[in-house]
Amino acid sequence: MPDTQFAATYELGQYQSAVEAEVTALNDQNFTSRFWQKDATLWTQDAAAQDSIRSFMGWLRSPEVMLKAVPEIMDFVHEVQQAGFQHVVVMGMGGSTMAPIVFQRSFQQGTTSLPLSILDTTDPGTVAALEATLPLEHTLFIVASKSGTTAEPLAFGDYFYDKVKAIKGEKAGENFVAITDPGSKFVTQATAEGYRHIFLNFAEVGGRFSALTYFGLVPAALYGIDIAALIQGGVDMMGNCGANGPVAGNPGLLLGTALGVLAKQGRDKLTLITPDSLSSVGLWLEQLLAESTGKEGKGILPVAGEPLGTPEEYGTDRVFVYLGYEREADQANQQKLHALVAAGHPVITIRLKEPLDLGSEFYRWEIAVAVVGIVLGINPFDQPNVQAAKTATDALMKVVTEQGKLPAPGEPAASQDGVSYYTKVSGADATAVLQAFFAQAQPGDFMTLQAYLHESDKLNEELAQFRKLVQDKLRIATTSGYGPRFLHSTGQYHKGGPNKGLFVQFTADHPQDLPLPGRTYTFGTFENAQAQGDLDALHQYDRRTLHLHLGPNPEQGLQSVLAALPAALGKLG
């Protein structure tokens, strides 16, 4: 089942007829016209929910709107260049940073543009390491928050504003830019502090649908990307998805229907395979898919960064999506994908000509995830369970304010080599606890690693080793993410999706912490509260959790855990 215009191939095997039948059924219901008229009855018959759905469908026409905004953005880029800035830092969480990460890692920096960094973690080591690389007086800080109340970007903004103010005094605001919704409280603060520019986005566009709005495009333009061409790709995909009237082949409808039908038939773990040049797209897709579909006990789990294996390593819960470039053969992955198809696993292949095609690809997936909502019978535009972790964190921060510290976590199930193991299962030592925890795994489950740590190459290697050991032994899907980033992406699926997860959380001490201006707590305390709040929220939804506190040296602590893990898994038979 080829989609030749946008280089997509669907090898769905036994599922192909069901997907084709669903596409026909949706078209028979006048899908295209109703979709573009924002007919919320496609998703639900509940009147209140229909109002909510319509209020978040402003992204449908955002490429057309943003194409007209290109001159404004480019004038701003010229102004920044003329002012002598040497670096740009985007500070936000979730939808406000995922697209900039993809742009920064997938494109070559323009010759006359500025280096781009993204800060989306409260980890004090990460903040300090970034600060050490910046020419503060000549750095432009973009504080990106849709609501204007998101705790993390506001904390980042206050921290660096204080640093720049120590250098430039009352002119510190010249180094700051806000991207937020109209009417947010942050507009008042940014105005009072003399921010260089305030970009007002669109209230009717949710964060995970904001790649082709100011949130994604301002950083992209500063980085030297041809945003007019990028947006034009989105406009072209709009037309091919029926923006200007019914179409014979709708790329977004086909992709979304395939994923939705496969999920209903148990293939609910979308395993994304990419060449290294496109690996960061997984971060963006994780949020779009998990936050949009993981609710009401349903959903599609995005699995990114997992090395592709052989057919016998997988159960019947996988669909494989390959996203790569036409010019890259990527033979190693292609051979394995052919073997998966031959074994009956569904495989979808999408190929881009160049990085600028990400504009159309972002839009294809946004349409697709909206269609998945129709097939699964859920609202893809809300995130009802994200608030659970925020509420739990807020309660813990209140304790910090009143008592000066976080509540103690209780007694660990085991302690060994400086690592504390907190979980409901019991065991005499690390190996026994790990064995008891992973003995809970069932076919169709998944494991996710939640690292509230300072990211490093060594830690990434250790986390990948942890995933491989579990996948090889238990044959379950594995995912990994750094906190608090994932709270704004896959965190919704973790609480609202099916209860099939084994959640392993990592925390560490913060021997070199950083104070937060105007607050009674530090970045480290904030990060620890977010970790504990997330754990509390998982417990509210009866999820299986293992919290590993790695002590002052997380790389060494995780190595200790990895030393015990093979024996633990080996005892499972």
Side-chain angles (χ1 to χ4, degrees):
M1 186 162 35
D3 170 11
T4 54
Q5 182 167 7
F6 287 95
T9 303
Y10 294 77
E11 298 171 281
L12 306 181
Q14 63 178 311
Y15 305 99
Q16 183 164 325
S17 59
V19 172
E20 291 175 347
E22 184 71 18
V23 170
T24 298
L26 286 168
N27 282 328
D28 287 346
Q29 297 168 38
N30 198 22
F31 163 81
T32 299
S33 295
R34 293 172 64 194
F35 185 84
W36 285 95
Q37 291 168 5
K38 304 179 184 178
D39 181 353
T41 62
L42 284 167
W43 290 272
T44 181
Q45 300 305 311
D46 179 82
Q50 289 172 14
D51 289 341
S52 172
I53 288 170
R54 282 189 291 269
S55 69
F56 280 101
M57 291 188 72
W59 58 273
L60 279 177
R61 297 280 178 184
S62 61
E64 289 180 340
V65 174
M66 293 309 301
L67 201 56
K68 299 174 184 176
V70 169
E72 170 204 2
I73 296 174
M74 296 314 299
D75 284 346
F76 172 73
V77 171
H78 181 70
E79 173 193 322
V80 168
Q81 292 171 337
Q82 291 296 107
F85 286 102
Q86 300 170 9
H87 203 104
V88 177
V89 179
V90 179
M91 304 185 295
M93 294 298 299
S96 61
T97 54
M98 294 302 181
I101 289 173
V102 175
F103 293 141
Q104 192 266 343
R105 297 183 186 178
S106 303
F107 285 80
Q108 293 288 334
Q109 181 185 336
T111 54
T112 61
S113 60
L114 299 173
L116 180 66
S117 298
I118 293 94
L119 179 62
D120 63 347
T121 174
T122 51
D123 178 77
T126 306
V127 176
L130 173 63
E131 181 183 349
T133 68
L134 298 176
L136 288 174
E137 186 175 0
H138 304 291
T139 297
L140 185 74
F141 295 93
I142 299 176
V143 185
S145 171
K146 173 181 166 56
S147 67
T149 61
T150 310
E152 297 94 337
L154 296 183
F156 303 149
D158 290 347
Y159 178 82
F160 281 105
Y161 188 90
D162 189 64
K163 294 291 183 179
V164 175
K165 189 174 182 179
I167 301 170
K168 297 183 64 172
E170 296 306 314
K171 292 186 177 181
E174 296 175 347
N175 289 52
F176 288 81
V177 174
I179 306 178
T180 189
D181 279 359
S184 79
K185 293 181 180 179
F186 183 41
V187 173
T188 303
Q189 177 184 341
T191 301
E193 293 181 347
Y195 273 34
R196 174 175 288 273
H197 200 98
I198 300 174
F199 289 98
L200 297 179
N201 212 60
F202 316 105
E204 65 276 16
V205 177
R208 59 189 177 275
F209 292 86
S210 66
L212 298 180
T213 69
Y214 289 112
F215 283 108
L217 296 174
V218 172
L222 288 164
Y223 193 58
I225 295 171
D226 182 351
I227 60 170
L230 188 76
I231 301 167
Q232 186 60 52
V235 173
D236 293 344
M237 184 61 79
M238 282 177 60
N240 283 276
C241 289
N244 306 315
V247 290
N250 181 327
L253 172 61
L254 181 54
L255 178 58
T257 303
L259 297 178
V261 168
L262 287 165
K264 287 179 73 172
Q265 299 202 26
R267 298 271 183 176
D268 61 352
K269 307 213 174 40
L270 189 155
T271 304
L272 181 70
I273 308 300
T274 70
D276 290 343
S277 54
L278 282 170
S279 61
S280 61
V281 175
L283 289 172
W284 181 81
L285 276 179
E286 278 180 340
Q287 180 182 18
L288 183 69
L289 283 165
E291 199 168 56
S292 298
T293 71
K295 57 200 71 170
E296 299 180 26
K298 307 175 185 178
I300 295 173
L301 176 70
V303 181
E306 193 183 70
L308 191 57
T310 55
E312 60 271 16
E313 295 180 41
Y314 302 107
T316 58
D317 58 346
R318 302 276 193 146
V319 53
F320 298 89
V321 176
Y322 179 82
L323 181 65
Y325 288 115
E326 292 179 358
R327 67 175 185 270
E328 289 189 44
D330 200 6
Q331 281 299 118
N333 278 326
Q334 291 307 312
Q335 290 175 358
K336 292 179 180 179
L337 288 168
H338 290 321
L340 289 167
V341 171
H345 291 284
V347 174
I348 300 170
T349 299
I350 299 172
R351 290 192 177 274
L352 312 181
K353 291 183 175 64
E354 59 177 329
L356 284 171
D357 287 348
L358 285 168
S360 61
E361 205 54 42
F362 282 150
Y363 198 82
R364 184 211 304 257
W365 281 91
E366 289 171 357
I367 294 285
V369 83
V371 174
V372 169
I374 296 171
V375 177
L376 296 185
I378 56 175
N379 177 359
F381 307 117
D382 67 354
Q383 47 280 336
N385 304 102
V386 168
Q387 188 58 41
K390 293 181 181 179
T391 300
T393 299
D394 289 344
L396 289 166
M397 295 312 297
K398 184 177 180 182
V399 173
V400 170
T401 301
E402 294 173 351
Q403 301 180 15
K405 61 181 181 179
L406 285 166
E411 288 298 315
S415 295
Q416 187 171 315
D417 299 328
V419 178
S420 299
Y421 295 71
Y422 299 90
T423 182
K424 290 183 178 180
V425 301
S426 59
D429 56 17
T431 298
V433 170
L434 289 167
Q435 178 189 349
F437 179 73
F438 284 108
Q440 301 173 98
Q442 300 293 323
D445 281 354
F446 68 93
M447 177 198 71
T448 184
L449 305 181
Q450 305 177 326
Y452 287 86
L453 305 171
H454 177 194
E455 183 175 356
S456 69
D457 290 341
K458 178 65 173 176
L459 275 176
N460 285 335
E461 291 172 5
E462 291 176 335
L463 293 171
Q465 184 182 350
F466 198 119
R467 291 177 69 178
K468 181 169 175 52
L469 288 167
V470 171
Q471 184 189 2
D472 287 351
K473 180 62 180 180
L474 301 180
R475 298 292 196 250
I476 61 174
T478 68
T479 68
S480 181
Y482 280 90
R485 170 194 289 165
F486 73 81
L487 291 179
H488 299 258
S489 55
T490 52
Q492 167 62 41
Y493 182 96
H494 295 164
K495 289 95 175 176
N499 191 357
K500 297 180 180 181
L502 295 163
F503 299 92
V504 182
Q505 183 190 92
F506 301 97
T507 58
D509 297 334
H510 301 292
Q512 295 179 317
D513 211 342
L514 295 175
L516 268 165
R519 295 160 174 83
T520 60
Y521 51 87
T522 62
F523 268 115
T525 301
F526 189 16
E527 182 182 30
N528 288 345
Q530 290 177 303
Q532 184 60 51
D534 186 33
L535 205 61
D536 291 347
L538 290 169
H539 292 159
Q540 290 175 27
Y541 293 98
D542 197 30
R543 273 28 179 179
R544 295 162 288 179
T545 68
L546 171 62
H547 169 206
L548 303 176
H549 188 73
L550 303 176
N553 187 330
E555 294 177 0
Q556 181 178 314
L558 186 47
Q559 194 60 50
S560 170
V561 177
L562 288 170
L565 186 58
L569 295 172
K571 294 180 179 181
L572 296 179

